[in-house]
Amino acid sequence: MPVFEAKVESSPVGEGRRVFELFLYLGMAAIIVLIILNAKRDSLDKILQRGELVVITRNGPTTYYEGLDGKTGLEYDLAEQFAEYLGVDLRIIVSENLSDMIPMLNGDQADFIAAGLAVTEARKALVRFTPAYQEITQQLIYYRKGKKRPRAIDDIIGGKLEVVASSSFDERLRELHNEHPELSWKTSDGSDVEKLLQQIVSGKIDYTIVDSNEFELHRRFYPGLNVAFDISEPQQLAWAFRTDQTDNTLYQRAADFFAEIRENGTLTALLERHYGYAREFKPVETTLFLAHAQERLPPYQYMFIDAAEKNGFDWRLLAAVSYQESHWVTNAVSPTGVRGIMMITEKTAGQLGVLNRLDARESISAGARYLKRLHGRIPDDIEEPDRTWMTLAAYNVGFGHLEDARKITESQGGDPDKWQDVRKYLPLLSEKKWHRKTKHGYARGWEPVVYVRNIRSYYDILVWMDERENQQNSQSPRPDPKTIAPQTL
Ligand code: GLU
């Protein structure tokens, strides 16, 4: 007879304990096997299993911010596309300081850093960079008013130079210090480029260093600031991964992702989307805009707020449209008979029941309702923010012409649902060769392109002004970079 059975007969209590012990051992063995398997699982597998990609970034116009249409920014958009490419969700961790990012990554708090980091020699020892997605230069920034433009390092010796701590700028200055031992500067942790630019304007410091891509966006808010000279050779921006050479899987997928989006034009389109409209905006336009925002906007602000709320818009968008239309002049009249602060045509005024186009409140209310109507007519497939840009283009050139341009876009292999593509073909409406074949004929097709571009920048500036004012009112000692980051339509 088997021993087991004999024991069963002899002691039922002991048998129960044995079975329990057996399960306990089996359970423990299973846990150990799972732990070993998990430890062996590579970085990509872990993410797929978790269903989530965790990315460190920073708040700012070139990286990540809250826009009209939710979260956006070049780094955010790239990371989101990469998460989609892997088939997982994206979780963002915002780091306040550059100095915290690499320790956070190496402390296993995230999968990589996507924060507009420059590939530098010092960093290469600590992290592994993907192929670059953008090339920039570091630029020395100074305040133009009454100052001679510095042209070389020797011209800034003795001036107050301050840069963000742990930045590529600090690293560059250390290199320069070897050739220019008299060069001195301060670094500030917990500070960002935006704050340092403000300090130049307020006279607290003389110079700072900013990446060219960031200055391209920031210069619209500070028309007095200018580039003195490039202080570095071209540098690459890239994502940073842990230097774990034994496990290449996640890194390799990121490298493949960048190769793919470079190849299929997605990267160029994203760069254009985030920088294109700001590139052509002239500093003089900002100067005038800021002056007008102080002198002319206040009496109408509550009307914009009211009309925007009723029609589901951001009031700053409505105000930006109005500025582009009339420079906030209520009795503006164009040679074609378009009138008022929102420049409504007689026909539209009739349709919208406007009695007096020169009455600011009536004009703003009609403009908002008209925009809403156009927004509703844009085909459903067109997603935000492109939908808003097309609405603005239709407001300017007419819905029919916009449709014609979308057809041309499609016939030329472009995407008629993407503003980036449509705006390339809109100017063709002024050429006979093209408008001959369209339903609505000739239009000054380049106008809506400039129109939308300007409104986007006016909007960015209004958001920036508005948020800054809110901060001053709440007397927060240190502005949260998230809320002062300009927003994109
Ligand atoms: N590109 C800079 C760096 O790599 C960061 C830019 C910034 O902090 O604004 O350090």
Side-chain angles (χ1 to χ4, degrees), residues 18-150:
R18 266 186 162 256
V19 171
F20 171 75
E21 277 174 9
L22 191 68
F23 276 109
L24 192 71
Y25 291 141
L26 280 175
M28 278 165 57
I31 289 171
I32 289 167
V33 169
L34 277 178
I35 289 172
I36 292 170
L37 280 179
N38 200 44
K40 281 203 134 180
R41 191 179 295 139
D42 57 39
S43 50
L44 180 60
D45 258 1
K46 275 185 191 156
I47 287 162
L48 297 180
Q49 173 92 7
R50 204 197 301 146
E52 189 181 66
L53 188 66
V54 186
V55 178
I56 301 171
T57 190
R58 63 187 160 92
N59 260 139
T62 59
T63 46
Y64 171 61
Y65 60 92
E66 202 68 44
L68 192 67
D69 184 39
K71 294 168 182 169
T72 186
L74 179 71
E75 289 288 14
Y76 178 80
D77 287 357
L78 282 170
E80 199 183 42
Q81 294 208 8
F82 182 50
E84 209 170 288
Y85 177 80
L86 298 179
V88 294
D89 293 337
L90 173 67
R91 179 153 64 88
I92 292 288
I93 299 181
V94 174
S95 168
E96 295 269 323
N97 302 318
L98 284 179
S99 49
D100 295 337
M101 291 185 182
I102 294 179
M104 276 164 85
L105 176 74
N106 289 331
D108 214 11
Q109 291 183 43
D111 299 310
F112 60 90
I113 307 171
L117 287 192
V119 178
T120 66
E121 286 310 314
R123 285 179 179 153
K124 276 203 273 186
L126 303 169
V127 291
R128 189 164 183 216
F129 283 105
T130 56
Y133 60 81
Q134 200 172 4
E135 193 174 273
I136 51 99
T137 52
Q138 295 183 16
Q139 299 180 320
L140 185 91
I141 308 300
Y142 77 110
Y143 197 50
R144 247 197 331 249
K145 252 187 204 153
K147 294 231 175 80
K148 223 176 124 220
R149 173 178 177 176

Side-chain angles (χ1 to χ4, degrees), residues 332-352:
V333 179
S334 88
T336 52
V338 190
R339 279 160 193 264
I341 197 165
M342 294 297 286
M343 286 296 204
I344 310 274
T345 62
E346 204 170 350
K347 189 170 151 218
T348 310
Q351 287 171 3
L352 294 163

Side-chain angles (χ1 to χ4, degrees), residues 212-353:
S212 50
N213 61 322
E214 290 205 58
F215 193 63
E216 210 162 341
L217 297 183
H218 280 300
R219 76 190 168 97
R220 295 168 308 153
F221 313 132
Y222 303 101
L225 297 181
N226 224 2
V227 177
F229 54 89
D230 279 352
I231 203 162
S232 77
E233 291 298 311
Q235 284 191 314
Q236 317 278 320
L237 301 185
W239 285 353
F241 284 70
R242 273 189 292 274
T243 42
D244 183 355
Q245 297 294 338
T246 54
D247 177 9
N248 212 12
T249 51
L250 179 65
Y251 175 86
Q252 192 52 49
R253 285 304 284 273
D256 294 348
F257 166 74
F258 276 114
E260 194 175 308
I261 61 169
R262 189 173 277 282
E263 178 72 25
N264 67 17
T266 305
L267 180 59
T268 312
L270 271 178
L271 288 168
E272 200 49 35
R273 169 178 219 143
H274 286 282
Y275 295 100
Y277 72 100
R279 195 169 302 138
E280 293 137 45
F281 198 76
K282 314 245 173 348
V284 54
E285 295 178 78
T286 311
T287 313
L288 203 61
F289 181 84
L290 291 172
H292 286 159
Q294 299 233 317
E295 293 154 17
R296 298 183 183 172
L297 177 60
Y300 307 117
Q301 184 162 335
Y302 75 97
M303 299 183 196
F304 287 120
I305 294 175
D306 185 47
E309 250 170 34
K310 287 190 176 124
N311 292 281
F313 285 112
D314 182 331
W315 75 266
R316 298 163 298 196
L317 175 66
L318 205 56
V321 173
S322 171
Y323 185 76
Q324 173 66 24
E325 289 288 348
S326 68
H327 282 200
W328 295 319
V329 173
T330 44
N331 55 2
V333 179
S334 88
T336 52
V338 190
R339 279 160 193 264
I341 197 165
M342 294 297 286
M343 286 296 204
I344 310 274
T345 62
E346 204 170 350
K347 189 170 151 218
T348 310
Q351 287 171 3
L352 294 163

Side-chain angles (χ1 to χ4, degrees), residues 58 98 115-118 123 164 166-169 193 211 214 237:
R58 63 187 160 92
L98 284 179
L117 287 192
R123 285 179 179 153
V164 177
S166 301
S167 63
S168 50
F169 318 132
V193 154
D211 284 334
E214 290 205 58
L237 301 185

